[in-house]
């Protein structure tokens, strides 16, 4: 639209248009990034300075000195900026301060109005919040992974659980979906289209409708709080089958016919022709399924309530319950949880974006 | 295999040959999708209350068939002191909440289209912007909700990020977003729009825009069409298949509200005073917190019917508005 607008428009408009675009794009971009920046900023603040009456972007805290065994806040006098004083006590009608500098007056005690003081702050980044959050002393895991880990940090356990679950779910989904997609796209058998329409119809079913009976059966079989409960029901994706089928349909049949003449079996065609040609589609599905599985909240929440089996999302929710008001630690933990997803997304972004476009196509 | 090596090999492959490919997925699909859907309907006609059992044979007696009792309780009305009162007023309230929160959908979709048009300009750095806009969608919803709870924060002597911005813009007493029943839902809508506006819908619109031939705009420009006329008569009609898809998927997702479930679970617990409890959270509470699986299944079925009904109506009437060029 703009290219045409720019060509037809007068000279001033041609120059102005990109500026307007960038301003709008930038404003939205800032809005998107602001909460993330606020998260990182808070995660580096000192305990007790996360929540304040006037929020500060730069993590800072009051400068203090030790006088007679007490910690006193340092300020400068508003009317003489060179004078540093420490507040040593409160008195009726003002505060009592001790002069720190200039040297000539050091040690002198004065009484001033609090409004004459400008309290000094010092920027300090508390990276150790990340260590504190990671260690989460309040929720150590006494035993995990069938006795392999003892007295482990909760987030280590959540990470390993998320990796195990997401990797298994992703491998399982990509494998079963690609097989089924091959059958739906390259083979002719009775009832094929009916079954495929059945698959598509279930995409419309709210996930909770499916989860309730599966949860019931798992809990009756005493199988909640197992890796099986986390992994197996998530391994069969109608969506994945649909996505891969769409892609497999675009592979020319001539390649396959040539292989058939050479005596290739269907599995050989799948393995040596269709899969190698479908790397972008497989990468798309892998990125999709991995991110979805990594972020999945409701299903693990339903089937797991034992700490050693929690994945990152429900582990972070548990952490929030345990550290409700310690926002600097909550934000540090949120950063810890977000980082790997962002890395996977930045790597697989191209495939991800393609996949969305592909799933919107008619077929 | 004579049929296999005929000149149209792909047409004659028998079912048996397809079976090994189909089986893993089909079996999983039957066990973990189709059967559960049917089981959920069956479950909704029972009064199953989750309790540990020793043997599977006990399952039958734990699951008394109660006919349509759950649905009567859920959807029915009775007369109380001369006035009609719903048997389960909570359900209607939470259905209302769910529908109210779906007001964010048109805002989000309009925003996605707007962003997609901006991103479709031939300017440098568009990939960077698209990546930034997509970040909230791929970030863990739990982390996003914890961060937003902090952004909405409002306590005596403690002001959150959003309210400090509002105050610097001249709003003297900004709302206690998550603590005030009147403001909790708008807060959720703001957050959901923030999460969704640059996500899937935006990428779909961008793909749609890139499929519109440049010549259309050039021809329109020659005819003297302005920016709005070009949008109204070229972009919008040619994007209508995308819009149809986006609206359909957004509303299906909106009824389920999995992000808003996470938000309610983590940020408000469904409050204040039930203001942010959606049908999903109500189902979850019934099933997991109160162990009323039969009743939860009944609500889930109603949700399913709502989604299904909407999809049918949409398919029947919505598609008339779609322009296939």
């Amino acid at each position: 639209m703009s290219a045409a607008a720019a060509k037809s428009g007068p000279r001033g408009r041609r120059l102005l248009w990109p500026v307007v675009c960038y301003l709008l794009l930038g404003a939205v971009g800032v809005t998107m990034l602001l909460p993330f920046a606020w998260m990182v900023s808070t995660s580096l603040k000192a305990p007790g300075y996360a929540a304040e009456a006037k929020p500060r972007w730069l993590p800072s805290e009051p400068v203090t000195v030790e006088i007679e065994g007490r910690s006193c806040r340092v300020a400068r006098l508003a009317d003489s900026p060179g004078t540093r004083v420490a507040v040593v006590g409160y008195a009726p009608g003002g505060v009592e301060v001790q002069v720190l500098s200039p040297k000539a007056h050091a040690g002198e005690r004065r009484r001033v109005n609090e409004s004459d003081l400008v309290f000094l702050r010092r920027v300090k980044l508390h990276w150790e919040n990340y260590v504190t959050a990671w260690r989460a002393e309040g929720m150590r895991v006494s035993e995990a992974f069938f006795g392999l880990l003892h007295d482990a940090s909760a987030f280590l356990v959540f990470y390993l659980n998320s990796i195990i679950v997401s990797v298994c779910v992703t491998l399982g989904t990509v494998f079963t979906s690609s097989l089924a997609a091959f059958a739906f796209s390259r083979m002719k058998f009775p009832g094929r289209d009916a079954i495929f329409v059945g698959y598509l119809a279930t995409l419309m079913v709210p996930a909770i409708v499916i989860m309730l009976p599966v949860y019931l059966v798992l809990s009756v079989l005493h199988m909640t709080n197992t890796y099986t409960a986390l992994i197996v029901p998530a391994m069969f994706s109608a969506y994945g089958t649909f996505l891969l089928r769409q892609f497999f349909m675009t592979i020319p049949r001539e390649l396959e016919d040539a292989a058939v003449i050479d005596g290739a079996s269907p599995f050989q065609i799948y393995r040596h022709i269709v899969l190698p040609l479908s790397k972008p589609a497989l990468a798309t599905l892998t990125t999709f399924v991995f991110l979805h599985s990594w972020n999945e909240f409701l299903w693990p929440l339903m089937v797991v309530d034992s700490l050693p089996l929690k994945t990152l999302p429900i582990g972070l929710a548990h952490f929030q319950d345990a550290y409700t008001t310690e926002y600097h630690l909550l934000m540090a933990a949120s950063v810890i949880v977000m980082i790997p997803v962002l890395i996977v997304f930045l790597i697989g972004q191209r495939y991800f974006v393609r996949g969305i476009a592909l799933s919107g196509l008619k077929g | 295999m004579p049929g296999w090596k005929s000149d149209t090999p792909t047409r004659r492959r028998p079912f048996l040959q397809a079976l090994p490919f189909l089986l893993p997925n089909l079996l999983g699909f039957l066990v973990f999708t189709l059967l559960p859907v049917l089981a959920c309907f069956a479950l909704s006609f029972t009064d199953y209350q989750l309790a540990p059992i020793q043997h599977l044979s006990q399952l039958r007696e734990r699951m008394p068939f109660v006919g349509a009792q759950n649905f009567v309780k859920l959807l029915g009305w009775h007369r109380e002191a001369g006035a009609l009162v719903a048997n389960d007023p909570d359900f209607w309230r939470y259905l209302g909440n769910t529908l109210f929160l779906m007001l964010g959908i048109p805002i989000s979709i309009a925003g996605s289209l707007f962003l997609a048009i901006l991103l479709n300009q031939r300017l440098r750095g568009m990939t960077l912007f698209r990546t930034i806009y997509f970040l909230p969608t791929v970030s863990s919803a739990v982390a996003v909700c914890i961060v937003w709870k902090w952004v909405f924060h409002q306590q005596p002597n403690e002001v959150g990020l959003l309210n400090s911005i509002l105050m610097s813009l001249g709003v003297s007493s900004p709302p206690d977003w998550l603590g005030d029943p009147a403001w909790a839902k708008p807060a959720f809508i703001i957050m959901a729009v923030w999460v969704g506006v640059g996500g899937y819908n935006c990428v779909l619109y961008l793909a749609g825009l890139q499929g519109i031939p440049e010549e259309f705009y050039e021809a329109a420009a020659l005819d003297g069409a302005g920016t709005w006329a070009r949008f109204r008569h070229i972009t919008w009609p040619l994007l209508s298949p995308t819009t149809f898809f986006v609206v359909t998927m957004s509303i299906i997702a909106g009824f389920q509200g999995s992000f808003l479930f996470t938000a309610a679970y983590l940020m408000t617990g469904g409050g204040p005073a039930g203001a942010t409890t959606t049908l999903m959270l109500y189902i979850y509470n019934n099933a997991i917190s109160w162990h009323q699986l039969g009743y939860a299944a009944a609500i889930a079925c109603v949700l399913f019917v709502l989604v299904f009904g909407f999809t049918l109506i949409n398919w029947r009437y919505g598609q008339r508005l779609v322009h296939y060029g």
Side-chain angles (χ1 to χ4, degrees), chain B residues 300-315:
Chain B
C301 288
V302 170
L303 185 67
F304 183 22
V305 169
L306 282 174
V307 174
F308 190 72
F310 159 77
T311 312
L312 275 187
I313 294 172
N314 192 33
W315 208 255

Side-chain angles (χ1 to χ4, degrees), chain A residues 84-319:
Chain A
R84 296 272 186 280
V85 298
V87 179
V88 290
Y90 285 83
V95 289
E96 192 174 356
V97 297
Q98 179 171 325
V99 179
L100 301 171
S101 68
K103 280 276 185 300
H105 298 279
E108 227 172 71
R109 298 252 168 148
R110 292 184 195 168
R111 185 162 294 187
V112 294
N113 282 327
E114 197 168 0
S115 56
D116 293 337
L117 296 174
V118 180
F119 287 101
L120 299 184
R121 296 180 75 91
R122 173 179 54 195
V123 172
K124 193 167 177 208
L125 306 181
H126 288 261
W127 295 101
E128 73 273 12
N129 288 344
Y130 285 87
V131 180
T132 314
W134 176 268
R135 295 173 62 90
E137 291 297 343
M139 40 192 275
R140 303 290 289 179
V141 177
S142 54
E143 193 186 321
F145 305 109
F146 315 106
L148 286 175
L149 271 184
H150 290 279
D151 189 33
S153 145
F155 273 101
L156 176 68
V157 173
F158 301 157
Y159 253 103
L160 293 175
N161 284 336
S162 274
I163 292 171
I164 293 171
V165 171
S166 301
V167 168
C168 290
V169 168
T170 308
L171 289 178
T173 306
V174 172
F175 181 65
T176 63
S177 301
S178 63
L179 280 176
F182 180 79
F184 281 125
S185 63
R186 316 303 276 189
M187 295 175 146
K188 183 94 183 164
F189 52 88
R192 182 187 73 175
D193 294 341
I195 299 176
F196 189 68
V197 168
Y199 264 60
L200 284 189
T202 57
L203 289 178
M204 198 171 58
V205 180
I208 190 79
V209 169
I210 293 161
M211 286 175 182
L212 285 178
V214 178
Y215 164 72
L216 186 153
V217 171
L218 288 173
S219 67
V220 163
L221 297 176
H222 301 281
M223 278 178 71
T224 54
N225 290 314
T226 59
Y227 287 108
T228 316
L230 284 170
I231 295 169
V232 176
M235 280 198 333
F236 309 97
S237 162
Y239 174 78
T241 310
F242 169 67
L243 191 78
L244 288 184
R245 175 193 174 265
Q246 298 300 89
F247 192 86
F248 290 175
M249 300 283 268
T250 64
I251 298 174
R253 274 188 194 277
E254 289 74 30
L255 289 170
E256 192 183 329
D257 291 345
V260 170
I261 292 166
D262 291 345
S265 73
F267 189 78
Q268 282 169 326
I269 293 173
Y270 162 79
R271 174 73 188 75
H272 296 293
I273 295 179
V274 173
L275 283 193
L277 285 173
S278 307
K279 275 182 195 147
L282 295 172
T284 298
L285 186 62
T286 304
T287 318
F288 255 130
V289 176
F290 186 86
L291 286 175
H292 185 266
S293 171
W294 188 271
N295 290 336
E296 174 68 37
F297 180 65
L298 179 56
W299 180 244
L301 186 70
M302 283 173 81
V303 292
V304 164
D305 57 13
S306 121
L307 199 59
L309 277 152
K310 290 197 173 181
T311 53
L312 273 176
I314 55 172
L316 182 58
H318 186 105
F319 185 85

Side-chain angles (χ1 to χ4, degrees), chain A residues 2 22 25 42 188 199, chain B residues 13 25 121 124 131 133 150:
Chain A
S2 74
Y22 277 126
L25 287 163
T42 307
K188 183 94 183 164
Y199 264 60
Chain B
R13 284 175 205 174
N25 196 279
Q121 308 299 322
R124 292 173 70 90
T131 307
Y133 298 168
W150 181 225

